[in-house]
């Protein structure tokens, strides 16, 4: 996954690519990123505060760019819960300028007074956005050597990308919109229990996730 190339876990993959040549484009994985609509790339599991039957995943690069922490700094196989981050962007009611979706979490264009937001992976995929990483395979970049502030990006209108440097495998905004539309819809906030009908409560208790959340709250209240 090129956007994730500066992570240690990708060293072996990149070394093989240099040795054997470019890889063919991978097929979409049967999992989705919690922070963006792209389905290819290097993923980490999310450590959900409330246990669920379904595993939750996030791109390594998305987690890194949003400053999320590893649960275990040695293993580096899981990242902290993303609920608060996602809720923050939902409260802003903003959408990605490229894919036109409000999925997950976004980054604002670095240009002063520009109100456009973008997913990092959308900005990378379209090829016409300036993206300034803050870290490489050899570690943190020297900020004095960078053209822009680290961990920032710009929308197409405020980017100075050389047309000759746009990757051949870049995709169009129409394709990004189509990809975003295929993203599974997020579940609606549950109706408060006291507002449920008897039938709705029966359905509610038949869900193992709801039972897990209930017992989690009971144990929390019991232990203080």
């Amino acid at each position: 996954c090129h956007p994730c190339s500066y992570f240690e876990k990708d060293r072996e993959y990149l070394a093989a690519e240099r040795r054997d040549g470019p890889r063919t484009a991978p097929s979409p994985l049967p999992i989705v990123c919690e922070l963006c609509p792209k389905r290819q790339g290097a993923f980490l599991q999310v450590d959900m505060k409330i246990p669920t039957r379904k595993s939750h995943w996030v791109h390594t690069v998305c987690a890194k760019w949003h400053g999320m922490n590893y649960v275990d700094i040695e293993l580096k196989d899981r990242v902290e819960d993303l609920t608060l981050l996602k809720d923050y962007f939902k409260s802003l009611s903003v959408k990605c300028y490229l894919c036109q979706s409000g999925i997950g979490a976004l980054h604002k264009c670095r240009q002063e007074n520009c109100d456009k937001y973008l997913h990092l992976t959308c900005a990378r995929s379209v090829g016409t956005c300036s993206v300034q990483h803050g870290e490489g395979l050899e570690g943190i970049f020297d900020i004095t050597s960078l053209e822009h502030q680290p961990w920032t990006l710009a929308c197409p209108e405020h980017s100075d990308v050389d047309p000759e440097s746009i990757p051949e495998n870049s995709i169009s905004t129409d394709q990004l919109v189509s990809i975003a539309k295929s993203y599974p819809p997020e579940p609606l906030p549950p109706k408060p229990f006291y507002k449920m009908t008897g039938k709705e409560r029966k359905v509610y208790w038949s869900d193992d996730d709801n039972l897990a959340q209930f017992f989690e709250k009971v144990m929390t209240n019991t232990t203080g």
Side-chain angles (χ1 to χ4, degrees), residues 165-203:
S165 67
I166 297 176
E168 292 183 4
N169 62 346
S170 296
I171 61 179
S172 68
T173 52
D174 286 342
Q175 289 174 301
L176 288 175
V177 170
S178 178
I179 291 171
K181 286 182 177 178
S182 71
Y183 191 92
E186 296 233 23
L188 295 173
K191 181 187 292 187
F193 189 77
Y194 68 89
K195 289 187 177 181
M196 293 182 185
T197 64
K199 185 176 181 180
E200 288 173 332
R201 291 184 182 188
K202 186 175 181 180
V203 173

Side-chain angles (χ1 to χ4, degrees), residues 57-69:
W57 301 84
V58 63
H59 285 117
T60 309
V61 68
C62 290
K64 185 73 174 181
W65 265 66
H66 282 288
M68 306 312 294
N69 298 311

